[in-house]
Amino acid sequence: MARKRQHKNARKAGKRQGSTPSKPWVSPSPQPTRPAIKISEAILKLAEPLRMQYREPHRMQAIIAVAVMAWNIALFPDEEHAQVQGMLLESLPTQLSGEDVGVLLRTIDTLIARKRLLYPQVREYILTHQLTLANDKVTLSVGTAPVPETIQRRAP
C-alpha cells in the first residue's frame, strides 16, 4: 500500500515540475455580440413592402411602429405570441372594428415571418425608435438591448 502511495506522490510531483504555473482558468461571462447590421436599416427593410404602398407621413409612422412591435414579438417563443398579441389588443383604441384588428394581426404575422426570414440570428430588442420624414427621406433611429437565446421568466 505504501508503495502505491509513493508512486502516486512521485507522479504528482513530476506533473508539478513539468507544468508551468498559469493563471487560474475563469470562464468569461458570455457577452452577446452586437449584430453586424444596423437595426434601424433592418426595420426599414422589414417594412419596405408597406412603406412602398403607403407613403403618407401618418401611415409611415404607423407602419414603423407596427414593424417594431412585430420585430420584438418575433423574439419571443412561438407559444407566447398569442399572449403578447393579446396584450397589444388590450391597448388598442376601442373604436377599431374587428376587421381592422384582423388586418393588424395579419400584418404583424407577416412582419414576424419577414423578420425570421431576413434576420433569424439577430436578437436585439427595440426599446425606442424615432422616425424622421423630411423631403421624401426616411430616417429611423433605434435604441436596442441584446436578448439572450432563451428568455428565463421570473417567478411571480
Coordinates of all heavy atoms in Angstrom, one line a residue, residues 76-117:
F76 N -39.9 36.5 -29.0 CA -40.5 35.6 -28.0 C -40.7 34.2 -28.6 O -40.9 34.1 -29.8 CB -41.9 36.2 -27.6 CG -41.8 37.3 -26.7 CD1 -41.7 38.6 -27.2 CD2 -41.8 37.2 -25.3 CE1 -41.6 39.7 -26.3 CE2 -41.7 38.3 -24.4 CZ -41.6 39.5 -25.0
P77 N -40.7 33.2 -27.8 CA -41.1 31.9 -28.3 C -42.4 31.8 -28.9 O -43.3 32.6 -28.5 CB -41.0 31.0 -27.0 CG -40.2 31.7 -26.0 CD -40.4 33.2 -26.3
D78 N -42.6 31.0 -29.9 CA -43.9 30.9 -30.6 C -45.1 30.8 -29.7 O -46.2 31.4 -29.9 CB -43.9 29.8 -31.6 CG -43.0 30.1 -32.8 OD1 -42.7 31.2 -33.0 OD2 -42.7 29.1 -33.6
E79 N -45.0 29.9 -28.7 CA -46.1 29.7 -27.8 C -46.5 30.9 -27.0 O -47.6 30.9 -26.4 CB -45.8 28.5 -26.9 CG -44.6 28.6 -26.0 CD -43.3 28.1 -26.6 OE1 -43.3 27.8 -27.8 OE2 -42.3 28.1 -25.9
E80 N -45.7 31.9 -27.0 CA -46.1 33.2 -26.2 C -46.6 34.3 -27.1 O -47.0 35.3 -26.7 CB -44.9 33.7 -25.4 CG -44.5 32.7 -24.3 CD -43.4 33.3 -23.5 OE1 -43.3 34.5 -23.3 OE2 -42.6 32.5 -22.9
H81 N -46.6 34.0 -28.5 CA -47.1 35.1 -29.4 C -48.5 35.5 -29.1 O -48.9 36.7 -29.1 CB -46.9 34.6 -30.8 CG -45.5 34.7 -31.3 ND1 -45.2 34.7 -32.6 CD2 -44.3 34.8 -30.6 CE1 -43.9 34.8 -32.7 NE2 -43.3 34.8 -31.5
A82 N -49.4 34.5 -28.9 CA -50.8 34.8 -28.6 C -51.0 35.7 -27.4 O -51.7 36.7 -27.4 CB -51.6 33.6 -28.5
Q83 N -50.2 35.4 -26.3 CA -50.3 36.2 -25.1 C -49.8 37.6 -25.4 O -50.4 38.6 -24.9 CB -49.5 35.6 -24.0 CG -49.5 36.3 -22.7 CD -48.7 35.7 -21.6 OE1 -48.0 34.7 -21.8 NE2 -48.7 36.3 -20.4
V84 N -48.7 37.8 -26.1 CA -48.1 39.1 -26.4 C -49.1 39.9 -27.3 O -49.3 41.1 -27.0 CB -46.7 39.0 -27.0 CG1 -46.2 40.3 -27.4 CG2 -45.7 38.3 -26.0
Q85 N -49.6 39.2 -28.3 CA -50.6 39.9 -29.1 C -51.9 40.3 -28.4 O -52.5 41.3 -28.6 CB -50.9 39.1 -30.3 CG -49.8 39.0 -31.3 CD -50.1 38.1 -32.6 OE1 -51.0 37.4 -32.6 NE2 -49.2 38.3 -33.6
G86 N -52.3 39.5 -27.4 CA -53.4 39.8 -26.6 C -53.2 41.1 -25.8 O -54.1 41.9 -25.6
M87 N -52.0 41.2 -25.2 CA -51.6 42.4 -24.5 C -51.7 43.6 -25.4 O -52.1 44.7 -25.1 CB -50.2 42.3 -23.8 CG -50.2 41.3 -22.7 SD -48.7 41.0 -21.8 CE -47.4 41.6 -22.9
L88 N -51.2 43.4 -26.7 CA -51.3 44.5 -27.7 C -52.7 44.9 -27.9 O -53.1 46.1 -28.0 CB -50.6 44.1 -29.0 CG -50.8 44.9 -30.2 CD1 -50.2 46.3 -30.1 CD2 -50.3 44.2 -31.4
L89 N -53.6 43.9 -28.1 CA -55.0 44.2 -28.4 C -55.7 45.0 -27.3 O -56.5 45.8 -27.6 CB -55.8 42.9 -28.7 CG -55.4 42.1 -30.0 CD1 -56.1 40.8 -30.1 CD2 -55.6 43.0 -31.2
E90 N -55.3 44.7 -26.1 CA -55.9 45.4 -24.9 C -55.6 46.9 -25.0 O -56.3 47.7 -24.4 CB -55.4 44.8 -23.6 CG -56.0 43.4 -23.4 CD -55.4 42.8 -22.1 OE1 -54.6 43.4 -21.4 OE2 -55.8 41.6 -21.9
S91 N -54.4 47.2 -25.6 CA -54.0 48.6 -25.6 C -54.5 49.4 -26.8 O -54.3 50.6 -26.9 CB -52.5 48.7 -25.6 OG -51.9 48.2 -26.7
L92 N -55.2 48.7 -27.7 CA -55.7 49.4 -29.0 C -57.0 50.2 -28.6 O -57.7 49.9 -27.7 CB -56.1 48.3 -30.0 CG -54.9 47.6 -30.6 CD1 -55.4 46.5 -31.6 CD2 -53.9 48.5 -31.3
P93 N -57.2 51.2 -29.4 CA -58.4 52.0 -29.2 C -59.7 51.2 -29.4 O -59.7 50.3 -30.3 CB -58.3 53.1 -30.3 CG -56.9 53.1 -30.8 CD -56.3 51.8 -30.5
T94 N -60.7 51.4 -28.7 CA -61.9 50.6 -28.7 C -62.7 50.8 -30.0 O -63.5 50.0 -30.4 CB -62.8 50.8 -27.5 OG1 -63.1 52.2 -27.4 CG2 -62.1 50.4 -26.2
Q95 N -62.5 52.0 -30.7 CA -63.2 52.2 -31.9 C -62.8 51.5 -33.1 O -63.4 51.5 -34.1 CB -63.3 53.8 -32.2 CG -62.0 54.4 -32.5 CD -61.3 55.0 -31.3 OE1 -61.5 54.6 -30.2 NE2 -60.4 56.0 -31.6
L96 N -61.7 50.7 -33.0 CA -61.3 49.8 -34.1 C -62.3 48.7 -34.3 O -62.7 48.1 -33.4 CB -59.9 49.2 -33.9 CG -58.7 50.2 -34.0 CD1 -57.4 49.4 -33.6 CD2 -58.6 50.8 -35.3
S97 N -62.6 48.5 -35.6 CA -63.5 47.4 -35.9 C -62.8 46.0 -35.8 O -61.5 46.0 -35.8 CB -64.1 47.6 -37.3 OG -63.1 47.3 -38.3
G98 N -63.5 45.0 -35.8 CA -63.0 43.6 -35.8 C -62.1 43.4 -37.1 O -61.1 42.8 -37.0
E99 N -62.6 44.0 -38.2 CA -61.8 43.9 -39.4 C -60.5 44.6 -39.3 O -59.4 44.0 -39.8 CB -62.6 44.4 -40.6 CG -61.9 44.2 -42.0 CD -62.7 44.8 -43.1 OE1 -63.9 45.1 -42.9 OE2 -62.1 45.0 -44.2
D100 N -60.5 45.8 -38.7 CA -59.2 46.5 -38.5 C -58.2 45.7 -37.7 O -57.0 45.6 -38.0 CB -59.5 47.8 -37.8 CG -60.2 48.8 -38.7 OD1 -60.2 48.7 -40.0 OD2 -60.9 49.7 -38.2
V101 N -58.7 45.1 -36.6 CA -57.9 44.3 -35.7 C -57.3 43.1 -36.5 O -56.2 42.8 -36.3 CB -58.7 43.9 -34.4 CG1 -57.9 42.9 -33.6 CG2 -59.0 45.1 -33.6
G102 N -58.2 42.5 -37.3 CA -57.7 41.3 -38.0 C -56.6 41.7 -39.0 O -55.7 40.9 -39.2
V103 N -56.8 42.8 -39.7 CA -55.8 43.3 -40.6 C -54.5 43.6 -39.9 O -53.4 43.2 -40.3 CB -56.2 44.5 -41.4 CG1 -55.1 45.2 -42.1 CG2 -57.4 44.2 -42.3
L104 N -54.6 44.2 -38.7 CA -53.4 44.5 -37.9 C -52.7 43.2 -37.5 O -51.4 43.1 -37.7 CB -53.8 45.3 -36.7 CG -52.6 45.6 -35.7 CD1 -51.5 46.4 -36.4 CD2 -53.1 46.3 -34.4
L105 N -53.4 42.2 -37.0 CA -52.8 40.9 -36.6 C -52.2 40.2 -37.8 O -51.1 39.6 -37.6 CB -53.8 40.0 -35.9 CG -54.2 40.6 -34.5 CD1 -55.3 39.6 -33.9 CD2 -53.1 40.7 -33.6
R106 N -52.8 40.2 -38.9 CA -52.2 39.6 -40.1 C -50.9 40.3 -40.6 O -50.0 39.7 -40.9 CB -53.2 39.5 -41.3 CG -54.2 38.4 -41.2 CD -55.0 38.2 -42.5 NE -55.7 39.4 -43.0 CZ -56.8 39.8 -42.6 NH1 -57.5 39.2 -41.6 NH2 -57.4 40.9 -43.1
T107 N -51.0 41.6 -40.5 CA -49.8 42.4 -40.8 C -48.6 42.1 -39.9 O -47.5 41.9 -40.3 CB -50.1 43.9 -40.8 OG1 -51.2 44.2 -41.7 CG2 -48.9 44.7 -41.2
I108 N -48.9 42.0 -38.6 CA -47.9 41.6 -37.6 C -47.3 40.3 -37.9 O -46.1 40.0 -37.9 CB -48.4 41.8 -36.2 CG1 -48.6 43.2 -35.8 CG2 -47.5 41.1 -35.2 CD1 -49.3 43.5 -34.5
D109 N -48.2 39.3 -38.2 CA -47.7 37.9 -38.5 C -46.8 37.9 -39.7 O -45.8 37.2 -39.8 CB -48.9 37.0 -38.7 CG -49.6 36.6 -37.4 OD1 -49.1 36.8 -36.3 OD2 -50.8 36.2 -37.5
T110 N -47.2 38.7 -40.7 CA -46.4 38.8 -42.0 C -45.0 39.4 -41.7 O -44.0 38.9 -42.1 CB -47.1 39.7 -43.0 OG1 -48.4 39.0 -43.3 CG2 -46.3 39.8 -44.3
L111 N -45.0 40.5 -40.8 CA -43.7 41.1 -40.5 C -42.9 40.2 -39.6 O -41.7 40.2 -39.8 CB -44.0 42.4 -39.8 CG -44.6 43.5 -40.7 CD1 -45.1 44.7 -39.9 CD2 -43.6 44.0 -41.7
I112 N -43.5 39.4 -38.7 CA -42.7 38.5 -37.9 C -42.1 37.4 -38.9 O -40.9 37.1 -38.7 CB -43.7 37.8 -36.9 CG1 -44.0 38.7 -35.8 CG2 -43.0 36.5 -36.3 CD1 -45.1 38.2 -34.8
A113 N -42.8 36.9 -39.8 CA -42.3 36.0 -40.8 C -41.1 36.6 -41.6 O -40.1 35.9 -41.8 CB -43.4 35.5 -41.7
R114 N -41.2 37.9 -42.0 CA -40.1 38.5 -42.7 C -38.9 38.7 -41.8 O -37.8 38.5 -42.2 CB -40.6 39.9 -43.2 CG -41.4 39.8 -44.5 CD -41.8 41.2 -45.0 NE -40.7 42.1 -45.3 CZ -40.0 42.1 -46.4 NH1 -40.2 41.2 -47.3 NH2 -39.0 43.0 -46.6
K115 N -39.1 39.0 -40.5 CA -38.0 39.2 -39.6 C -37.3 37.9 -39.5 O -36.0 37.8 -39.5 CB -38.5 39.7 -38.2 CG -37.4 40.1 -37.3 CD -36.9 39.0 -36.4 CE -35.8 39.5 -35.5 NZ -34.9 38.5 -35.1
R116 N -38.0 36.8 -39.3 CA -37.4 35.5 -39.2 C -36.7 35.0 -40.4 O -35.7 34.3 -40.4 CB -38.4 34.4 -38.7 CG -38.8 34.7 -37.3 CD -39.8 33.6 -36.8 NE -40.0 33.8 -35.4 CZ -41.0 33.2 -34.8 NH1 -41.8 32.3 -35.4 NH2 -41.1 33.4 -33.5
L117 N -37.2 35.4 -41.6 CA -36.6 35.1 -42.9 C -35.3 35.9 -43.1 O -34.3 35.4 -43.5 CB -37.6 35.3 -44.0 CG -37.1 35.1 -45.4 CD1 -36.8 33.6 -45.7 CD2 -38.0 35.6 -46.4

